[in-house]
């Protein structure tokens, strides 16, 4: 519970002390004063004292009138006095009967982000030996850190603020500024939205749903938070998997190999990951790299067991092998030139396809815009037809030219369908080009390794041909060293490949856990208890609308969405079809309905509702009378409803006849001179 006990405004001016005090009881309180007399300033002072000005605007400006910021006018003689210092103070009480007095400077030397808290009823009972401590607002950590006032306020109201997701994927508390609009309706923008004008600058995902879920204490709130958190984690896991796969493909390509049977999307099956392997190209065919490792190891072992021959014994075979290698290197270089030309052609094709896709996107958008204009009633599209006179708008087929000379132009709808089909075709071509370029890059790397290996062998053979007959064969030594280096290189690549597969396996296990977590989430968003609370809200709104004279459609046709928690009719959200006055009536009913539900169900509603000038859009007097009667019934002495109005006083008194309430009447400016004030 949160109950306002006392609101105090003080301003020290060049003409003395000014201010006002408003002492409130429980139940229904009607605060009456003329227009521009300071009613809204009193209510905004309450919000400002609690550091809630961002509920009204994302700008960090003082939401109080000039009478607390710049100057006051003496009501007796009209003389203006400049404000030297000013502050507001509010005394509030919670469900446990604890009282707290909150004071915040408006104009002063100190920082306005500082809030002083007195642990007692200093405004209603006067100064005493109360604990005092300073807190801060409007700065990072105000809702979480020990010195943050909004953390203290939430604890005072027995609110355990849930953690919610932001649009950037981070977490934050459900700030109190997003909750207060559900029971505090200020005059300027508060009446413009149902259920409430909830601030969005905190970048909280689905903030309207989250606030209603918390205030109504829905069980689904925790489920939705878990579901949102899981969606974000699964999205991050997909991105991480894709990044890991790209790294494996890059590793393989850089070494002239190809990754096969590699799962491109996250999988929960570790066997799918373990089945992946590397391939190498030999004689135009792709084979498992493991066989290459085995062949190289066997060949190297054979060479190690042989003695290094002398040049005299190998020179004859070296000459023949050198001729074969020269021919093979020439053939490989010719092949590489062809691959390079194909790659360049694919790059040109890719650029051309990208340009064509961009043109198609532009043409498609233009046609969609033209169709939209046509659907809106534009006749300019007729000018596109050569068979139609743009002046008299008569068809001219077969009138001026021989039959069959002019072909019919496709309609805009046909154009859109044709362009969409073309875009799909060219996007497939773009994907094919990208795949072809990757394959050609791989072939260039693979053939390049082949050329380098054969060239090194050729150089060694030529060295043998000119070396002394009893010298050790350089070709034999080079072959053995080359095999050793090749085996080391391949094994290193295999080792890194297996490490990355181990990382994918770990990701697969994490993905499996997330899938299991998703399967464990409740299939239905709302529990039976949540649905029961929505049914009570629906019944309360309908009952109130009948009392208020709601007339756009029968009140029994109104429902409350189980998804957005907004009022609906026949499954569609209620919007512009409402008259302005009925929109206000629905706003009354919804806000009071939230409080009404809390009377018989466990919710997080603070038992407080504040309406600033509820008679918007010249609502009928009978509707206002119904509002006051319903407010008195719903408050029932256990809650507090504060309604500020400038309605004709005699009418207000007539509306309140027979209704239990507190009526506070101010005849003139509420901020007035104070001759003696010991509490300032």
């Amino acid at each position: 519970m949160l109950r306002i006990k006392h609101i105090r405004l003080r301003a020290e001016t060049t003409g003395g002390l000014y201010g006002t005090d408003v002492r409130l009881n429980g139940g229904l309180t009607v605060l009456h004063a003329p227009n521009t007399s300071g009613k809204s300033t009193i209510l905004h002072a309450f919000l400002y004292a609690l550091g809630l000005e961002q509920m009204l605007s994302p700008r960090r400006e003082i939401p109080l009138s000039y009478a607390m910021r710049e100057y006051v006018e003496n009501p007796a003689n009209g003389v203006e006095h400049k404000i030297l210092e000013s502050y507001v103070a509010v005394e509030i009480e919670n469900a446990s009967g604890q009282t707290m007095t909150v004071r915040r400077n408006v104009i002063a030397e100190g920082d306005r982000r500082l809030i002083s808290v007195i642990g007692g009823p200093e405004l209603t009972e006067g100064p005493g030996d109360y604990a005092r401590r300073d807190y801060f607002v409007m700065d990072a950590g105000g809702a979480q850190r020990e010195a943050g006032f909004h953390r203290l306020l939430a604890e005072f109201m027995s609110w355990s603020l849930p953690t919610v997701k932001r649009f950037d994927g981070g977490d934050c508390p459900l700030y109190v500024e997003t909750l207060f609009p559900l029971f505090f309706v200020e005059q300027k923008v508060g009446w413009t939205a149902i259920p409430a004008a909830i601030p969005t600058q905190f970048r909280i995902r689905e903030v309207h749903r989250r606030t209603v879920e918390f205030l109504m204490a829905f069980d689904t709130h925790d489920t939705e938070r878990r579901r949102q958190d899981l969606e974000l984690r699964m999205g991050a896991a997909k991105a991480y998997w894709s990044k890991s796969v790209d790294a494996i493909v890059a590793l393989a390509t850089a070494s002239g190999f190809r990754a096969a049977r590699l799962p491109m999307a996250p999988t929960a099956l570790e066997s799918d990951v373990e089945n992946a392997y590397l391939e190498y190209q030999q004689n135009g065919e792709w084979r498992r790299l493991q066989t290459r490792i085995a062949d190289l190891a066997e060949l190297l072992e054979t060479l190690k067991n042989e003695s290094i021959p002398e040049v005299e014994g190998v020179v004859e075979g070296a000459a023949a092998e050198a001729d074969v290698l020269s021919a093979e290197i020439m053939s490989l270089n010719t092949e590489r030139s062809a691959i390079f030309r194909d790659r360049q052609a694919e790059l040109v094709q890719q650029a051309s396809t990208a340009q064509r896709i961009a043109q198609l996107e532009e043409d498609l958008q233009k046609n969609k815009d033209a169709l939209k204009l046509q659907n809106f009633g534009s006749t300019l599209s007729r000018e596109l037809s050569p068979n139609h006179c743009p002046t008299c708008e008569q068809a001219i087929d077969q009138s001026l030219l021989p039959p069959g000379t002019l072909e019919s132009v496709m309609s805009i709808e046909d154009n859109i369908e044709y362009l969409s089909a073309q875009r799909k075709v060219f996007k497939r071509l773009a994907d094919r080009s990208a795949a072809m370029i990757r394959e050609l890059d791989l072939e260039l790397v693979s053939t390049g390794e082949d050329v380098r290996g054969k060239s090194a062998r050729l150089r060694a053979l030529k060295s043998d041909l000119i070396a002394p007959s009893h010298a050790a064969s350089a070709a034999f030594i080079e072959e053995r060293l080359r095999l050793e280096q090749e085996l080391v290189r391949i094994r290193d690549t295999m080792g890194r490949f297996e490490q990355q597969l181990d990382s994918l396996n770990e990701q697969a296990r994490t993905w499996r856990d997330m899938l299991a977590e998703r399967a464990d989430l409740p299939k239905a968003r709302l529990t039976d208890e949540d649905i029961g609370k929505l049914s009570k809200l629906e019944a309360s709104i309908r009952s109130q609308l009948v009392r208020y004279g709601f007339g756009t459609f029968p009140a029994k046709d109104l429902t409350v969405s189980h998804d957005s928690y907004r009022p609906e009719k026949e499954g569609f959200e209620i919007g512009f079809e409402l008259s302005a006055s009925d929109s206000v009536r629905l706003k009354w009913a919804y806000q009071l309905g939230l409080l009404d539900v809390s009377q018989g169900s466990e919710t997080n509603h603070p038992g407080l509702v504040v309406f600033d000038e509820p008679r918007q859009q010249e609502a009928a007097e009978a509707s206002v009378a119904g509002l006051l009667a319903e407010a008195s019934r719903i408050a029932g002495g256990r809650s507090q409803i504060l309604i500020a109005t400038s309605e004709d006083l005699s009418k207000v008194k007539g509306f309140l006849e027979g209704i239990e309430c507190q009526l506070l009447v101010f005849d003139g400016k509420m901020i007035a001179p104070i001759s003696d004030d010991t509490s300032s």
Side-chain angles (χ1 to χ4, degrees):
M1 185 188 78
L2 179 67
R3 180 169 293 180
I4 308 171
K5 302 288 288 183
H6 197 112
I7 302 175
R8 172 171 292 170
L9 285 71
R10 290 292 184 269
E12 190 65 48
T13 76
T14 53
L17 185 65
Y18 279 69
T20 190
D21 284 271
V22 178
R23 188 164 184 168
L24 303 172
N25 298 333
L28 172 63
T29 296
V30 177
L31 175 63
H32 182 277
N35 274 325
T36 69
S37 60
K39 296 187 309 303
S40 295
T41 300
I42 294 293
L43 300 183
H44 285 174
F46 166 74
L47 294 177
Y48 178 75
L50 300 185
L52 297 170
E53 55 263 45
Q54 280 195 292
M55 165 189 143
L56 306 174
S57 168
R59 297 188 299 272
R60 301 188 173 198
E61 57 189 18
I62 301 174
L64 303 177
S65 69
Y66 65 88
M68 289 297 292
R69 296 181 291 107
E70 300 171 8
Y71 66 89
V72 294
E73 184 179 300
N74 190 311
N77 53 28
V79 176
E80 294 181 358
H81 301 292
K82 291 184 178 179
I83 292 177
L84 304 177
E85 288 187 359
S86 60
Y87 75 87
V88 297
V90 174
E91 185 181 307
I92 53 179
E93 183 183 42
N94 64 12
S96 302
Q98 294 177 314
T99 304
M100 180 169 71
T101 302
V102 182
R103 171 172 165 160
R104 186 179 179 192
N105 288 331
V106 181
I107 302 298
E109 291 296 325
D111 197 311
R112 289 198 303 269
R113 289 174 292 185
L114 188 68
I115 287 183
S116 297
V117 174
I118 300 97
E122 189 172 73
L123 299 186
T124 55
E125 298 184 12
D129 188 19
Y130 306 124
R132 297 172 184 267
R133 184 174 175 182
D134 289 337
Y135 295 84
F136 69 87
V137 290
M138 305 292 290
D139 205 20
Q144 295 168 293
R145 297 212 292 266
E146 186 178 350
F149 175 73
H150 285 170
R151 172 179 169 173
L152 172 70
L153 179 62
E155 291 175 352
F156 184 79
M157 299 171 65
S158 298
W159 275 358
S160 179
L161 294 176
T163 299
V164 292
K165 288 294 177 184
R166 301 171 65 113
F167 285 112
D168 60 7
D171 294 334
C172 70
L174 186 63
Y175 296 112
V176 292
E177 291 97 329
T178 65
L179 293 163
F180 266 69
L182 287 172
F183 49 86
F184 192 110
V185 186
E186 60 89 31
Q187 185 177 0
K188 292 182 180 178
V189 298
W191 297 103
T192 60
I194 301 172
I198 296 173
T200 57
Q201 65 265 23
F202 300 105
R203 308 292 295 160
I204 295 174
R205 295 179 65 185
E206 298 182 315
V207 63
H208 289 80
R209 287 172 60 180
R210 301 290 86 83
T211 52
V212 174
E213 286 168 356
F214 174 75
L215 203 70
M216 298 279 278
F218 283 167
D219 295 327
T220 189
H221 181 86
D222 198 45
T223 302
E224 281 300 303
R225 184 194 61 77
R226 287 169 54 202
R227 182 176 281 111
Q228 284 188 2
D229 179 66
L230 182 60
E231 287 174 359
L232 289 170
R233 285 191 285 121
M234 293 183 78
K238 288 179 181 178
Y240 187 36
W241 186 284
S242 178
K243 184 178 178 180
S244 299
V245 167
D246 289 344
I248 292 175
V249 171
L251 169 68
T253 303
S255 301
F257 306 136
R258 185 173 73 179
R261 300 186 67 178
L262 188 66
M264 296 292 110
T267 176
L269 300 174
E270 293 180 50
S271 58
D272 286 356
V273 177
E274 292 166 355
N275 288 335
Y277 58 89
L278 291 178
E279 294 179 318
Y280 76 102
Q281 194 174 36
Q282 185 178 43
N283 300 326
E285 294 183 3
W286 289 96
R287 301 180 179 181
R288 280 181 178 263
L289 191 57
Q290 288 289 0
T291 61
R292 175 67 172 163
I293 294 175
D295 292 344
L296 287 176
E298 182 180 354
L299 183 57
L300 182 60
E301 186 65 25
T302 301
L303 291 178
K304 283 183 177 180
N305 292 331
E306 293 181 9
S307 300
I308 300 175
E310 294 181 349
V311 168
E312 184 180 10
V314 299
V315 67
E316 190 173 329
E321 186 180 351
D323 290 340
V324 172
L325 281 176
S326 295
E328 288 179 354
I329 290 171
M330 186 178 298
S331 175
L332 279 172
N333 282 328
T334 301
E335 182 183 348
R336 282 174 57 80
S337 296
I339 292 172
F340 184 77
R341 287 194 300 272
D342 289 344
R343 184 180 185 277
Q344 291 300 108
E346 282 296 337
L347 287 173
V348 172
Q349 177 67 31
Q350 186 182 50
S352 175
T353 303
Q355 184 178 7
R356 180 59 179 151
I357 290 173
Q359 291 173 346
L360 287 170
E361 294 280 4
E362 183 179 354
D363 290 346
L364 187 59
Q365 190 58 55
K366 286 180 178 178
N367 276 271
K368 286 181 177 179
D369 291 344
L371 179 60
K372 182 181 292 186
L373 291 173
Q374 178 177 286
N375 291 337
F376 288 169
S378 173
T379 58
L380 294 179
S381 58
R382 292 178 179 272
E383 296 176 7
L384 299 174
S385 174
N387 303 340
H388 202 280
C389 177
T391 303
C392 66
E393 299 189 358
Q394 292 184 4
I396 57 174
D397 285 352
Q398 304 177 7
S399 296
L400 302 178
L401 294 173
T405 301
L406 294 175
E407 295 294 334
S408 297
V409 176
M410 285 196 300
S411 67
I412 296 178
E413 292 87 346
D414 290 339
N415 266 338
I416 291 174
E417 185 177 351
Y418 175 70
L419 291 171
S420 297
Q422 274 201 317
R423 181 177 60 176
K424 289 180 181 178
V425 170
F426 277 95
K427 283 190 173 181
R428 284 197 292 270
L429 286 175
D431 293 340
R432 174 194 164 280
S433 289
M436 282 294 297
I437 291 170
R438 285 195 298 270
E439 287 292 325
L440 293 170
D441 284 340
L442 187 57
E443 289 185 22
L444 282 174
V445 173
S446 177
T447 53
E449 289 290 332
D450 227 358
V451 168
R452 281 191 290 274
K454 291 180 184 297
S455 296
R457 175 69 177 168
L458 180 61
R459 286 193 297 270
L461 290 171
K462 287 181 177 180
S463 296
D464 282 354
L465 292 176
I466 60 175
S469 60
H470 294 291
S473 172
F476 183 89
I477 297 172
E478 186 278 335
E479 176 72 2
R480 194 163 71 180
L481 289 174
R482 186 182 64 81
L483 288 178
E484 287 179 348
Q485 292 172 351
E486 179 69 3
L487 198 56
V488 168
R489 183 183 74 88
I490 293 176
R491 282 174 172 167
D492 176 66
T493 301
M494 279 295 296
R496 287 187 286 160
F497 173 73
E498 288 170 356
Q499 284 180 350
Q500 291 179 327
L501 283 188
D502 288 341
S503 173
L504 272 189
N505 264 328
E506 182 64 33
Q507 294 178 49
R509 288 190 287 270
T510 302
W511 184 256
R512 183 176 62 242
D513 292 342
M514 287 190 287
L515 290 179
E517 187 179 344
R518 186 172 67 180
D520 287 341
L521 288 174
K523 301 301 179 185
R525 285 187 60 254
L526 299 174
T527 64
D528 291 342
E529 188 176 352
D530 295 340
I531 293 173
K533 291 177 184 178
L534 282 177
S535 297
K536 289 180 181 179
L537 176 62
E538 198 174 274
S540 178
I541 293 174
R542 289 175 176 174
S543 172
Q544 290 181 69
L545 290 181
V546 172
R547 187 72 181 270
Y548 302 154
F550 184 85
T552 301
F553 54 81
K556 62 181 178 61
D557 293 343
L558 181 140
T559 58
V560 175
S561 168
H562 286 196
D563 181 52
S564 66
Y565 316 125
R566 299 175 187 268
E568 289 184 339
K569 180 179 181 291
E570 298 176 350
F572 294 95
E573 191 170 310
I574 298 171
F576 294 109
E577 67 271 20
L578 288 183
S579 65
S581 57
D582 268 354
S583 179
V584 172
R585 293 183 182 98
L586 183 55
K587 174 76 172 178
W588 297 344
Y590 195 100
Q591 300 274 127
L592 291 178
L594 292 173
L595 175 58
D596 201 8
V597 172
S598 72
Q599 309 290 7
S601 303
E602 183 179 347
T603 71
N604 289 316
H605 201 290
L608 169 70
V609 171
V610 179
F611 285 166
D612 187 7
E613 289 290 1
R615 194 186 179 191
Q616 301 286 313
Q617 304 299 330
E618 294 301 318
E621 293 180 5
S623 299
V624 178
L627 168 64
L628 295 173
E630 286 293 295
S632 177
R633 176 189 66 80
I634 293 172
R638 294 169 295 172
S639 302
Q640 184 180 40
I641 298 178
L642 173 59
I643 296 178
T645 180
S646 57
E647 185 70 28
D648 182 84
L649 182 57
S650 61
K651 292 181 180 178
V652 171
K653 289 181 178 179
F655 297 154
L656 295 175
E657 190 172 343
I659 295 177
E660 184 178 347
C661 74
Q662 176 190 20
L663 176 61
L664 299 177
V665 179
F666 289 82
D667 295 329
K669 295 287 186 182
M670 298 184 69
I671 300 176
I674 298 176
S675 57
D676 182 22
D677 182 63
T678 58
S679 63
S680 62

